[in-house]
Amino acid sequence: QQQVKQSPQSLIVQKGGIPIINCAYENTAFDYFPWYQQFPGKGPALLIAIRPDVSEKKEGRFTISFNKSAKQFSLHIMDSQPGDSATYFCAGTGGSNYKLTFGKGTLLTVNP
Amino acid sequence: DGGITQSPKYLFRKEGQNVTLSCEQNLNHDAMYWYRQDPGQGLRLIYYSQIVNDFQKGDIAEGYSVSREKKESFPLTVTSAQKNPTAFYLCASRLDGAHGYTFGSGTRLTVV
């Protein structure tokens, strides 16, 4: 059972474009939703995260929008750069063991 | 510098052999995790440990075993019972709360 559904699987944008990656979750016990960025051959690194008591969080060029009633959240990357080309994972977690449940990932390519 | 060290970076296993993947952290984190990553599948939890001498199965524990004899170390053994072991394996540790995850750079295991 996939508890976090992520789309699209891949995304190609031009430099300066605004890629949007969407996620939907099923587990209402989740109370923390991080996004991770992964470059080839490396481990994921935390990019930005949100809790369900806020509808939007912005850090630099990265923004998370959160819709609690729809159980959906999305990542927007403003003024995208070729260096943003990577795989992005959304995740959810809740409870004392803080296990992360990941989406399947989105491969983003930003063309120069 | 503090961090997580996974070794080796690449590992080749013959069918029927057990292999052990190393994960060492000097972050003084209590919790440690093993994830498996397959193309297009996201990261799936194999085992986790929240304290020394204790560990729990994750979503795909069959064919794997772990130990947690020291706080700094959480080795993963891929046994011959794992029918499809070729994958990228990621170790992570966590200090406090869901935001405190640190991932290693991974071990790519290939069955030959």
Side-chain angles (χ1 to χ4, degrees):
Chain A
Q1 179 185 6
Q2 183 189 0
Q3 296 187 354
V4 178
K5 295 183 178 180
Q6 183 173 347
S7 63
Q9 279 189 313
S10 63
L11 187 55
I12 301 174
V13 300
Q14 293 298 120
K15 178 183 175 182
I18 305 176
I20 300 173
I21 304 170
N22 300 298
C23 286
Y25 64 98
E26 300 171 2
N27 190 338
T28 55
F30 286 167
D31 60 5
Y32 182 78
F33 299 89
W35 285 89
Y36 285 84
Q37 180 188 56
Q38 184 182 32
F39 293 104
K42 301 295 184 183
L46 179 64
L47 190 62
I48 186 174
I50 197 168
R51 294 195 183 277
D53 53 348
V54 299
S55 60
E56 184 175 282
K57 183 173 182 180
K58 182 180 292 187
E59 288 185 2
R61 296 185 293 108
F62 301 92
T63 300
I64 301 178
S65 298
F66 192 90
N67 184 330
K68 186 175 181 179
S69 61
K71 294 189 288 185
Q72 295 176 348
F73 58 109
S74 60
L75 176 70
H76 298 63
I77 305 176
M78 306 301 176
D79 188 27
S80 59
Q81 301 296 313
D84 296 328
S85 297
T87 299
Y88 292 82
F89 293 96
C90 61
T93 186
S96 61
N97 56 36
Y98 299 106
K99 293 187 296 180
L100 289 169
T101 298
F102 286 88
K104 292 189 175 184
T106 297
L107 177 61
L108 172 65
T109 302
V110 182
N111 290 325
Chain B
D1 287 339
I4 296 182
T5 301
Q6 289 189 242
S7 62
K9 189 170 179 66
Y10 299 95
L11 186 58
F12 297 88
R13 188 194 95 170
K14 293 182 179 180
E15 287 192 21
Q17 282 185 337
N18 292 354
V19 290
T20 297
L21 283 59
S22 171
C23 178
E24 302 279 334
Q25 54 102 355
N26 60 4
L27 299 166
N28 200 33
H29 288 180
D30 287 318
M32 297 187 74
Y33 303 77
W34 274 105
Y35 285 88
R36 169 179 171 144
Q37 184 175 12
D38 296 282
Q41 293 298 316
L43 282 74
R44 293 179 290 169
L45 182 63
I46 305 172
Y47 267 99
Y48 65 103
S49 168
Q50 298 197 88
I51 196 168
V52 174
N53 292 323
D54 188 47
F55 49 83
Q56 285 77 41
K57 293 181 178 180
D59 300 318
I60 56 165
E62 185 175 352
Y64 300 98
S65 66
V66 294
S67 63
R68 187 82 187 280
E69 297 177 0
K70 299 185 299 182
K71 187 176 186 178
E72 314 83 67
S73 180
F74 191 40
L76 173 74
T77 297
V78 184
T79 74
S80 57
Q82 171 50 239
K83 298 307 179 186
N84 185 23
T86 294
F88 189 50
Y89 290 87
L90 287 159
C91 179
S93 69
R94 182 180 58 79
L95 174 61
D96 184 34
H99 60 282
Y101 271 85
T102 300
F103 281 86
S105 292
T107 292
R108 187 165 299 279
L109 173 64
T110 303
V111 174
V112 298

